[in-house]
Amino acid sequence: MFALKILEKKVKNNQDCYVPNDYYHLVSLLYHLTYHKGLIKGFNQNDGKITPENKYYETILYLIECNGFKDRFELSLNGFHQFLKNENFNMPYDMLVKWPKRNETIDAITKMEEQPLREELLTDKKNIVVFIIRDDAAQADIIEYIKGVISDNYSILLSKELTEEQINCAIQFTRGGNWIELDKKKFHLVAPYSIVVCRSNYVDTDGGGKEYLAKECAKIKNEIRTYVNENFPSKHKRHLIHGTDSPYEALDYIKKIFPQDYMKIITSKKF
């Protein structure tokens, strides 16, 4: 979605070449520096503030001025993250957790994003799991089968087909195992279709709940994908379903998709 918006708003520069406009030039540059680069040369190693020695320093100041954002954020990696978050272009929490290019910045931002989730999720809610059924499973008999498998393994608390607004939120604010898939050298969107919020029967007594939930969820997803791809063949392999790997990821999904009602959902008597 981010890449599509950059392409949609492209402009021609003085060399008659297409480039991002000033706004998308700024957010894409800050995204690259914050999540891909981290504390490279030209950033203070103690507080993450950018210094004039950074080769992008003048460009960032110019783009901030062009966009009228002079007082909108601190010139630091944390400040860039907060700005991107306010503009809805930050890296999603579930991607931060799995991001392979680990550095001090990514670790600090991940911890910062996880802290409020830890504070909101009570101890007795830490077996929560969210499944997103994808558009390539949107067939009545496949949906029925998938929900049957889930209900055989979990207590279903909420099952709902997503609205267009909720679909867009899920695409933009969750990694979702990649909504964009490559098929025959062409990228296409496999959008979220419905959400299933459920509770595992597992009780975390030894602190290993996060790892157990991830393995349990992966096992069920593989079972569903294997069965559907064998019994409902299509032109290409379908991924069908995405599931969360931790209770904090599950809470983050619920907050993103149901921003007004998430507290009502997680405090429901069904839990």
Side-chain angles (χ1 to χ4, degrees):
M1 294 294 284
F2 190 7
L4 289 176
K5 288 182 179 180
I6 293 174
L7 291 171
E8 286 171 4
K9 301 296 183 180
K10 63 183 181 297
V11 295
K12 283 190 175 182
N13 63 11
N14 294 333
Q15 287 76 45
D16 205 35
C17 297
Y18 282 111
V19 296
N21 67 15
D22 288 339
Y23 176 74
Y24 284 103
H25 188 178
L26 176 63
V27 293
S28 60
L29 177 56
L30 297 185
Y31 191 102
H32 179 63
L33 287 174
T34 305
Y35 307 120
H36 291 251
K37 294 298 185 182
L39 289 172
I40 57 172
K41 182 180 178 181
F43 282 96
N44 187 294
Q45 299 296 305
N46 295 318
D47 57 18
K49 290 185 177 180
I50 193 169
T51 68
E53 287 74 36
N54 188 288
K55 64 180 180 179
Y56 300 109
Y57 185 78
E58 293 298 332
T59 301
I60 290 172
L61 292 184
Y62 169 76
L63 291 170
I64 288 173
E65 188 70 30
C66 288
N67 286 284
F69 292 151
K70 192 171 182 180
D71 301 317
R72 292 282 292 275
F73 54 78
E74 180 186 82
L75 292 174
S76 68
L77 290 172
N78 182 55
F80 296 164
H81 169 71
Q82 292 300 330
F83 171 77
L84 291 167
K85 189 173 181 179
N86 291 338
E87 297 295 306
N88 293 325
F89 285 117
N90 59 298
M91 182 178 282
Y93 169 72
D94 61 343
M95 186 180 287
L96 278 171
V97 173
K98 300 176 182 69
W99 192 242
K101 300 177 182 178
R102 304 311 299 182
N103 56 54
E104 291 180 22
T105 304
I106 291 293
D107 290 343
I109 290 173
T110 303
K111 186 180 293 186
M112 180 176 65
E113 292 298 313
E114 189 171 288
Q115 187 59 36
L117 297 172
R118 285 181 175 274
E119 293 172 358
E120 280 190 287
L121 196 63
L122 301 176
T123 302
D124 62 347
K125 313 293 184 185
K126 289 188 177 178
N127 56 354
I128 185 173
V129 179
V130 169
F131 288 99
I132 302 288
I133 299 175
R134 299 156 72 95
D135 199 42
D136 57 357
Q139 183 179 320
D141 43 1
I142 295 178
I143 293 286
E144 184 180 355
Y145 165 75
I146 291 174
K147 288 183 178 178
V149 174
I150 293 174
S151 65
D152 286 344
N153 293 274
Y154 297 96
S155 299
I156 295 180
L157 309 172
L158 171 71
S159 179
K160 184 180 182 297
E161 189 173 324
L162 299 175
T163 65
E164 184 177 351
E165 182 179 358
Q166 290 168 335
I167 288 170
N168 290 333
C169 282
I171 292 171
Q172 183 168 358
F173 298 119
T174 70
R175 170 182 172 270
N178 296 329
W179 303 118
I180 304 295
E181 294 186 357
L182 180 64
D183 179 41
K184 294 181 180 178
K185 298 183 179 180
K186 289 185 178 181
F187 288 100
H188 66 284
L189 173 68
V190 183
Y193 175 76
S194 64
I195 184 171
V196 181
V197 179
C198 46
R199 185 184 68 232
S200 170
N201 296 319
Y202 174 77
V203 179
D204 185 8
T205 57
D206 58 4
K210 183 177 176 182
E211 290 75 17
Y212 180 88
L213 289 175
K215 290 179 180 178
E216 181 184 52
C217 186
K219 180 182 176 182
I220 290 168
K221 287 187 296 184
N222 288 334
E223 177 184 336
I224 289 170
R225 288 168 181 161
T226 299
Y227 179 86
V228 172
N229 281 303
E230 288 179 354
N231 292 275
F232 300 87
S234 65
K235 292 181 180 179
H236 58 88
K237 187 177 180 180
R238 295 180 288 191
H239 288 89
L240 304 159
I241 188 168
H242 170 69
T244 54
D245 288 337
S246 77
Y248 309 116
E249 197 173 298
L251 175 57
D252 184 62
Y253 276 40
I254 297 170
K255 289 182 71 172
K256 294 295 193 307
I257 295 172
F258 302 103
Q260 308 300 324
D261 302 318
Y262 79 93
M263 281 301 297
K264 191 185 300 182
I265 293 171
I266 65 172
T267 56
S268 166
K269 290 182 179 179
K270 289 184 178 181
F271 272 97

